[in-house]
Amino acid sequence: MKSRTAKSRTADLFAADALPAPHARPHEAIPRAVPAQPSSRPRSNQLWYAVVFPEFNETQPQISLQRLCLHAQQFTSLVSIEMPNALLLEIKGSVKLFGSLGRLHADIDAVWRRLALKAHGAAAPSTLAALWLARAGRQVLLEDPALLAGHLAALPLACTSWDADRLRTLNAMGVRSVGELLRLPRAGVARRFEPATVLDLDIALARQAAPRRAFVPRERFRARRDLEMEIENVAYLETAVAPLIERCARFLRERQSGIQNLELRLRHRVGPATRVRLGLASSTGEQRRLTDVVAQKLSRLTLAAPVREVELISGSLQPFIETPLDAFSRVGGAGGRDTAPQLVERLRARLGEQTVYGVCSIAEHRPEAAWRRVHELRETTDRPAADHEMPRPVWLLGEPVQLCGPLLLEQGPERIESGWWDGKGIARDYYIAHQVQDSRQTRGARLWVFQERQSKCWYVHGVFA
Amino acid sequence: MSRETISLADILADARVWKLKDASAAPPRPVWSTGSSSLDARLPGGGWPTASLVEVLIDETGLGEVQLFLPALVASQRRTDGETHWLVWIAPPHEPFAPALSQQGIDLGRLLVVRPASAMEALWAAEQALSSGVCAAVLLWLKGTDDRWLRRLKLAAETGGALGVLFRPERHRFESSPATLRLVMTQGEHAPHLELIKVQGGLPGPVA
């Protein structure tokens, strides 16, 4: 049954191939204009196969295009995702491997049938031509670029999936098919519509290259280790995990990648596994740093039950630039043992993720909104904050505190009136003041105070420490 | 009875003579200016010493105690040698206000704030940061601690080459402390009153 469909389809396709092209190369007649017309000789060094899943969004929301990509990668290494519902495969090299284009098409089609997915496939020497043919539901297998124009001409314009505006205008002009559009003067089309329209036509006719980015599946490290004896003491866990960390570091080194997240799962005889999540301050693949973080985290762990099995799962891999080879730059430092990310990791592992942070200033007039905590460690140099009239205090109180006791105003006022647009508007007059002790004529703390302009109440907002 | 005349140079050359180090000589390590000439003049070397522990005894915040160190922190971050440009502030009494710090010239990209849950954790974090070798200065706010931990901090500061600053309440004034420098800050009539109570290689006393 299966082979019959394949065969009948193949026969059908050959018939299509043999069809006389109704509008052979209408582009030739178009005068050269903006954008410059590329050489009219089509490039034929590529062969693309497009698969469109017409019911993709409705019927199979649980299967992602990325999953389907993995299926398609058995046929070629270059598979790209075309949103919202198509895949593009570069199959020039695969045709020979699978015997013939028809055979390859049948094999690819069988994959989707097995997954009970409705799919239209089409092959053409250019990316867009294959996509358009597949979208139009023409199961055409074209290898000869010379036949492209003829096949594309018959396609309705809707299969280009251009924006609705463009299609509506074209429709109003009486242009219904690609062929009719190709017959229009090139310069006029470029002027009337976006130049992208002409570019798309060039790409479809294989006169312009349109490289695609290959889909690379996400890789993770995942390894488990059965323990010969159940471990009850946390102290022994570290040695038990060490081989896994070593493997993980090797895995990362081979891929020139680093990770920023790790998860350690400790399985018990009964009950759910204990999950230990580890975060690293910056991407790394260094065994010493991984060991360091794991050891710190484990030392603070209390085991609910003996551990029978340990499993190490990495977060997603990131290309890793920093290698221990640039150690030369670190030799000079006194002590010279650590790097900043290592220090942050060690502190975080023991004190908790949220307890170690940086601060950055934000260009904003309201003092409470002019800064925020940052947890991602970056060594970027902060751009200098806007120049303020008055110096700003080193400490900012979390909430302004109602003022009590006598004060001596020193400098001010600086009016800050902002934020009416988001409902947290303020209208305040800020002063620098210092506390005065009545009994002894001494100056107390230097404060940043403000008077609310509406209520006339005084508040302390900062301390000049 | 004849007396041999012995020159001073001969005595000094004698291996049995143990020379006290000249304490007033400039320390070999670099110092960071405090930004105040009267204070600079009182400190050996003319500024805050690196790779050492400085203790500031102060009861309330707001007397400009952080301001004393900000010029030094800025200078230490701008230093071109090595990679020790990080500043770590451990358990500050309030949130450090980022615009104020960048206004003063601090590179916020290399400032870490640590909020430990307990004094023990704060001391541990300070020791780690000081000895790490990536920090230019570590500022630590504490209510109290014992002598043994201060010794550990001082050692860590010396290994890591960082300036450690410890802010503590004034009641610890009469406890012994291994800090290189000890200052007391109190309210004054026109400006806060600053007194050096321990200066290694200098003279203690109030700072004008």
Side-chain angles (χ1 to χ4, degrees):
Chain A
M1 179 68 204
K2 187 177 117 191
S3 63
R4 249 181 75 191
T5 6
K7 204 176 275 173
S8 72
R9 219 170 257 154
T10 322
D12 187 55
L13 295 162
F14 285 142
D17 254 0
L19 271 179
H23 312 287
R25 307 200 198 178
H27 236 75
E28 301 299 76
I30 297 171
R32 277 152 202 275
V34 203
Q37 186 171 2
S39 81
S40 59
R41 191 176 207 91
R43 295 149 182 265
S44 59
N45 54 352
Q46 288 187 325
L47 188 59
W48 292 88
Y49 184 92
V51 202
V52 173
F53 305 98
E55 293 160 7
F56 184 71
N57 287 335
E58 291 87 50
T59 56
Q60 306 281 352
Q62 71 276 19
I63 299 184
S64 67
L65 275 177
Q66 284 162 14
R67 267 294 157 73
L68 297 175
C69 242
L70 294 179
H71 283 289
Q73 275 179 335
Q74 58 183 301
F75 300 105
T76 170
S77 59
L78 202 167
V79 180
S80 102
I81 294 179
E82 301 295 313
M83 293 310 275
N85 61 354
L87 298 180
L88 262 178
L89 289 70
E90 212 292 307
I91 51 167
K92 184 81 180 174
S94 315
V95 169
K96 205 176 269 177
L97 196 69
F98 283 80
S100 73
L101 184 53
R103 185 89 162 269
L104 179 60
H105 169 66
D107 282 352
I108 298 176
D109 224 35
V111 172
W112 315 130
R113 226 173 307 128
R114 244 191 337 265
L115 291 168
L117 272 173
K118 199 175 168 198
H120 299 308
S126 82
T127 52
L128 282 183
L131 260 182
W132 292 357
L133 286 167
R135 278 210 199 102
R138 312 274 162 100
Q139 310 247 345
V140 182
L141 301 181
L142 273 180
E143 271 184 283
D144 184 1
L147 297 172
L148 258 180
H151 277 281
L152 288 177
L155 297 179
L157 275 179
C159 68
T160 56
S161 72
W162 283 334
D163 51 288
D165 267 356
R166 227 189 301 180
L167 291 178
R168 212 175 304 122
T169 320
L170 283 165
N171 196 33
M173 287 166 62
V175 181
R176 305 273 146 78
S177 70
V178 177
E180 281 164 354
L181 178 61
L182 284 174
R183 241 172 290 149
L184 295 178
R186 183 183 170 88
V189 173
R191 203 160 43 238
R192 185 86 186 252
F193 306 98
E194 291 147 68
T197 312
V198 180
L199 190 67
D200 273 3
L201 290 174
D202 280 340
I203 292 171
L205 290 168
R207 290 172 182 174
Q208 189 76 259
R212 285 296 195 273
R213 178 167 294 187
F215 170 77
V216 182
R218 279 214 297 180
E219 229 181 341
R220 277 163 198 277
F221 174 82
R222 188 169 187 154
R224 53 167 65 183
R225 183 163 180 248
D226 277 319
L227 303 177
E228 283 162 26
M229 278 188 282
E230 289 192 343
I231 291 182
E232 287 173 53
N233 193 335
V234 181
Y236 299 122
L237 263 182
E238 205 183 308
T239 12
V241 181
L244 291 181
I245 294 176
E246 196 189 322
R247 272 168 65 188
C248 182
R250 196 167 53 228
F251 173 89
L252 293 171
R253 199 163 52 240
E254 282 162 2
R255 279 158 189 78
Q256 301 247 315
S257 306
I259 46 170
Q260 226 173 338
N261 292 293
L262 260 181
E263 191 180 305
L264 188 64
R265 286 192 193 156
L266 309 171
R267 285 183 217 285
H268 314 293
R269 191 184 307 208
V270 282
T274 310
R275 291 170 169 213
V276 185
R277 289 213 171 79
L278 305 145
L280 292 125
S282 67
S283 176
T284 187
E286 227 178 306
Q287 187 179 343
R288 191 167 67 98
R289 262 176 78 186
L290 297 176
T291 313
D292 213 23
V293 171
V294 170
Q296 281 293 347
K297 200 86 182 188
L298 284 180
S299 68
R300 294 171 60 76
L301 188 76
T302 39
L303 281 179
V307 179
R308 300 190 74 182
E309 185 191 272
V310 286
E311 185 176 13
L312 193 68
I313 304 160
S314 81
S316 55
L317 267 58
Q318 296 156 353
F320 182 53
I321 306 118
E322 190 195 32
T323 58
L325 284 177
D326 69 7
F328 293 114
S329 61
R330 304 190 191 288
V331 170
R337 300 179 293 122
D338 278 356
T339 59
Q342 268 174 285
L343 172 66
V344 174
E345 270 151 34
R346 193 157 345 118
L347 294 178
R348 279 192 179 153
R350 168 136 177 207
L351 307 176
E353 291 288 316
Q354 298 300 312
T355 56
V356 184
Y357 56 88
V359 289
C360 76
S361 54
I362 299 165
E364 161 69 63
H365 290 288
R366 284 170 287 179
E368 46 272 81
W371 75 283
R372 67 181 172 86
R373 293 183 178 190
V374 280
H375 291 275
E376 184 76 11
L377 189 76
R378 280 165 307 147
E379 269 194 67
T380 49
T381 37
D382 210 70
R383 51 179 163 48
D387 264 334
H388 302 292
E389 285 175 45
M390 287 203 298
R392 292 287 185 258
V394 172
W395 304 139
L396 189 75
L397 305 188
E399 284 285 313
V401 179
Q402 193 118 30
L403 199 65
C404 50
L407 273 184
L408 206 63
L409 297 184
E410 209 174 88
Q411 198 182 335
E414 179 188 347
R415 180 157 295 178
I416 297 181
E417 203 161 1
S418 183
W420 48 268
W421 52 85
D422 61 6
K424 289 180 205 144
I426 59 164
R428 300 167 179 169
D429 283 335
Y430 275 89
Y431 298 86
I432 297 175
H434 56 254
Q435 285 177 323
V436 186
Q437 241 74 23
D438 275 330
S439 48
R440 302 172 288 144
Q441 275 297 308
T442 55
R443 294 173 66 147
R446 220 165 148 236
L447 304 172
W448 203 38
V449 300
F450 68 82
Q451 185 182 29
E452 191 120 68
R453 291 187 53 218
Q454 221 158 25
S455 62
K456 302 283 174 210
C457 286
W458 288 86
Y459 295 89
V460 184
H461 204 183
V463 184
F464 288 88
Chain B
M1 157 180 166
S2 72
R3 262 195 198 167
E4 280 180 60
T5 45
I6 302 171
S7 73
L8 185 63
D10 290 335
I11 298 174
L12 285 177
D14 193 324
R16 288 169 299 173
V17 174
W18 182 63
K19 281 171 285 184
L20 262 173
K21 259 189 249 159
D22 186 2
S24 63
R29 42 174 95 121
V31 293
W32 308 114
S33 166
T34 63
S36 134
S37 52
S38 55
L39 183 56
D40 275 353
R42 298 291 305 276
L43 299 175
W48 301 121
T50 57
S52 61
L53 186 66
V54 175
E55 194 182 344
V56 180
L57 298 155
I58 185 166
D59 271 343
E60 61 172 324
T61 181
L63 299 182
E65 71 277 13
V66 178
Q67 194 60 48
L68 275 182
F69 294 94
L70 281 180
L73 299 188
V74 172
S76 67
Q77 275 196 320
R78 299 225 172 119
R79 188 166 51 157
T80 47
D81 62 301
E83 290 207 356
T84 59
H85 301 297
W86 284 79
L87 304 178
V88 182
W89 291 20
I90 300 167
H94 300 286
E95 281 308 333
F97 190 37
L101 300 180
S102 51
Q103 199 178 31
Q104 301 254 6
I106 298 271
D107 174 8
L108 291 177
R110 297 208 206 101
L111 173 75
L112 279 182
V113 183
V114 183
R115 294 238 169 248
S118 66
M120 276 311 288
E121 284 189 346
L123 286 164
W124 175 82
E127 191 187 22
Q128 293 293 323
L130 281 169
S131 60
S132 68
V134 294
C135 296
V138 177
L139 274 59
L140 169 68
W141 284 264
L142 274 184
K143 291 273 173 285
T145 175
D146 61 14
D147 184 36
R148 204 165 49 88
W149 258 106
L150 291 191
R151 248 170 246 291
R152 283 178 66 166
L153 290 188
K154 189 185 181 188
L155 255 172
E158 280 166 6
T159 9
L163 165 67
V165 184
L166 171 68
F167 295 96
R168 286 208 289 172
E170 206 197 326
R171 63 167 189 272
H172 298 285
R173 179 179 184 148
F174 299 106
E175 293 169 14
S176 84
S177 160
T180 317
L181 270 174
R182 299 186 81 201
L183 290 96
V184 178
M185 267 188 112
T186 46
Q187 297 182 359
E189 202 165 319
H190 298 294
H193 184 75
L194 194 62
E195 187 184 345
L196 291 168
I197 54 173
K198 177 183 176 187
V199 192
Q200 270 180 11
L203 284 177
V207 178

